[in-house]
Amino acid sequence: VVKYMNVTAKYILASVDQSGHLERAYLRFLGDGLLFIFPMASFNQTKMKTVTEPILKELAEMSARFRAYLSQDPPPGLVHMPMSLGVGISFGPLVPIRIKSKTLVITQDDYIGPAINLASRLQHVARNGGCVAADHLYEAVLKYDRDASVLFNTLFPNKYQVDLQGIGEVSV
């Protein structure tokens, strides 16, 4: 799984980087999951759309490729092999935090915010495989562009209301 996650992280970042519009990304391993944060606060609507499209394509396709990848090269010693990958996608403001120890050599950069909590809850909804995106991503970034709107609705054709722990009802 770690090998897959490393390869997937590099693949996604390389694919997104090819757009030439993403200046930086934050990646964090969370147990058996990955958290990708793509800072877009200074982006205008056009730049957000240009960066968001390849990210959405890669994340939606990752889930489908996961099972085939693991069956070709199963990690040694793994007793129970996960056969699916769930992806949760959210959009919204985050707060960067930095924790630095004065006595130990420890520095931790991280982000907090409701968008991370929502992405995590959506990932659990998609746990059995697939990709779930919050509708507010569409509303904020993609609905004003015809091609981006078609892409989003092609990648995420099913619309649901889900009740998420600690968050409430959300459209996905």
Side-chain angles (χ1 to χ4, degrees), residues 82-102:
M83 296 310 286
S84 63
L85 175 71
V87 176
I89 303 172
S90 181
F91 175 82
L94 300 176
V95 177
I97 60 172
R98 173 169 259 199
I99 301 168
K100 191 170 185 176
S101 171
K102 292 182 180 187

Side-chain angles (χ1 to χ4, degrees), residues 34-49:
L34 294 169
L35 173 65
F36 288 97
I37 296 175
F38 303 99
M40 295 189 222
S42 64
F43 291 5
N44 63 30
Q45 193 74 23
T46 302
K47 191 168 183 179
M48 274 193 206
K49 179 195 80 75

Side-chain angles (χ1 to χ4, degrees), residues 79-143:
V79 177
H80 175 63
M81 187 179 309
M83 296 310 286
S84 63
L85 175 71
V87 176
I89 303 172
S90 181
F91 175 82
L94 300 176
V95 177
I97 60 172
R98 173 169 259 199
I99 301 168
K100 191 170 185 176
S101 171
K102 292 182 180 187
T103 56
L104 299 173
V105 182
I106 298 174
T107 300
Q108 173 66 42
D109 291 327
D110 208 344
Y111 287 86
I112 58 173
I116 292 175
N117 296 338
L118 179 55
S120 175
R121 300 299 192 288
L122 293 176
Q123 187 268 332
H124 286 285
V125 169
R127 180 60 93 182
N128 291 328
C131 190
V132 177
D135 263 359
H136 69 269
L137 170 66
Y138 172 79
E139 292 294 324
V141 180
L142 303 170
K143 84 174 186 179

